[in-house]
Every structure is written in structure tokens, then in C-alpha cells.
Amino acid sequence: SFDLWGIEKKVFLNYLSVGYDAAVVDRFQRLRGKLPALFRRPFGNRVLYLISGFLHLFYGIPSGAVIMYENQKIDISGHKTLLLGNINSYAGGKPLDKTVVYTDKQLNVFRIKRLWGMIRLVSGRGCESQNEKSNSFVLNLGYDTMGQIDGEPHPFAKGVHRIELIGQVKVIGG
């Protein structure tokens, strides 16, 4: 069984993120939709993904963004990425945190504050984890912001978004 999470009538298993990584994925997906001929080879895909990353080099979470959980209120304005994850790898299988438990009814909180943190993550050196977790979050955004839900771009409107455990799902694997 895996924990199942909900936000805005959407369900996810692995992660939700807001910030730099989501902006890169959104640009990459839009470009792939407009120019599919450029995306025929894995090497070309990687190059275009790198270009998308470079174009968003200075992108961060807009001002007025706050996340609340476990009686904490944390200003995440200017952070590169906020990742709420139920996975131990990210960014193409790079290690995130080996202590993640998929069935503990908690999402792990990863706040990546600077570009260096993203470089550290995608180079396979892990994430500077806060070892914080909760089963209920309130994300309050001061501006419309790009996000990801299980790897798919998802625009978040300005305002309050509740993220909660909604149950568990059985997954068959081998």
C-alpha cells in the first residue's frame, strides 16, 4: 500500500512541487507540444531540458508564499523549490532521502533554498533534507505559480491550497 494524497480534486502518490523545477518542466512540455520533431532522441531531449533549466535559472517561488504544517508557518518566498514528497528519489532517479517511508501517512518536506541545492540534487548528491513531515499542509500563494504533481505541470492560482492524506492504494510490483 502507498499513501494517497489530494489537492484541488487531484490525487497524487509521489510528490508535489512548486518553483524552479516545475517552471522547467512546464517550459519543456510546452516546447515538446509545439515542436515534437525536436524530441525524437533521448540525447536531444536532455539538451532541450538543460536549455529550459538555463532559461529559468533565476526563477524562484514568488513573494508572499507560505507553507503551514505541524503548527509551523514558513515563508518560502524566494526559495528555488518546495517539494512535498513520498519518494526517496527525484530528478530522474537521483537520491533524495533514504529515510522516506511510503506508508507512514506523512509527506516529507524538502525546501531547496538556492540554485546550489538544485545542482546538488540533480548531480546525485541528495537533498539538504529538513527531516520534516506532516499529513496535512496549507500552501498559501501570493501569486499564480507553476507547480508539478507527480511530474506533470500544474498551475497553482494565487490563494490557499490544502494538501491532505486521503487514503492508501494497493500497488502491485515485483
Side-chain angles (χ1 to χ4, degrees), residues 19-21 23 55-62 79-80 144-146:
Y20 172 78
D21 63 333
L55 292 173
H56 288 88
L57 207 53
F58 300 106
Y59 186 91
I61 298 172
H79 281 53
K80 272 302 193 197
D144 293 351
T145 305
M146 185 48 64

Side-chain angles (χ1 to χ4, degrees), residues 1-4 102-105 165-170:
S1 295
F2 278 76
D3 296 338
L4 196 60
Y102 314 112
T103 57
D104 65 355
K105 300 180 180 167
L165 178 69
I166 58 174
Q168 290 190 319
V169 63
K170 296 245 184 238

Side-chain angles (χ1 to χ4, degrees), residues 5-148:
W5 301 90
I7 181 170
E8 300 172 354
K9 298 181 184 177
K10 287 201 168 262
V11 174
F12 67 99
L13 283 172
N14 297 318
Y15 72 93
L16 174 144
S17 69
V18 176
Y20 172 78
D21 63 333
V24 171
V25 166
D26 179 53
R27 167 81 53 113
F28 181 82
Q29 296 284 39
R30 283 189 287 131
L31 185 59
R32 184 162 49 185
K34 289 179 183 174
L35 303 168
L38 292 177
F39 295 84
R40 292 191 178 155
R41 298 215 159 46
F43 178 77
N45 290 353
R46 287 185 188 109
V47 169
L48 292 168
Y49 202 86
L50 274 171
I51 291 169
S52 179
F54 182 75
L55 292 173
H56 288 88
L57 207 53
F58 300 106
Y59 186 91
I61 298 172
S63 64
V66 173
I67 186 159
M68 294 170 275
Y69 60 96
E70 301 293 324
N71 298 321
Q72 297 184 72
K73 182 176 181 181
I74 301 167
D75 183 354
I76 56 170
S77 302
H79 281 53
K80 272 302 193 197
T81 293
L82 169 71
L83 173 68
L84 303 177
N86 200 28
I87 55 175
N88 58 15
S89 65
Y90 186 69
K94 303 296 189 249
L96 186 57
D97 186 338
K98 294 177 183 174
T99 66
V100 173
V101 179
Y102 314 112
T103 57
D104 65 355
K105 300 180 180 167
Q106 306 264 331
L107 279 175
N108 294 271
V109 180
F110 302 98
R111 291 181 281 139
I112 302 168
K113 296 181 181 180
R114 296 180 223 345
L115 181 61
W116 175 249
M118 289 302 298
I119 292 169
R120 176 183 165 90
L121 177 59
V122 299
S123 68
R125 295 192 339 203
C127 185
E128 298 167 348
S129 171
Q130 277 74 29
N131 290 325
E132 299 170 348
K133 39 173 78 177
S134 181
N135 63 4
S136 178
F137 299 86
V138 175
L139 180 62
N140 192 346
L141 300 171
Y143 293 90
D144 293 351
T145 305
M146 185 48 64
Q148 285 189 85

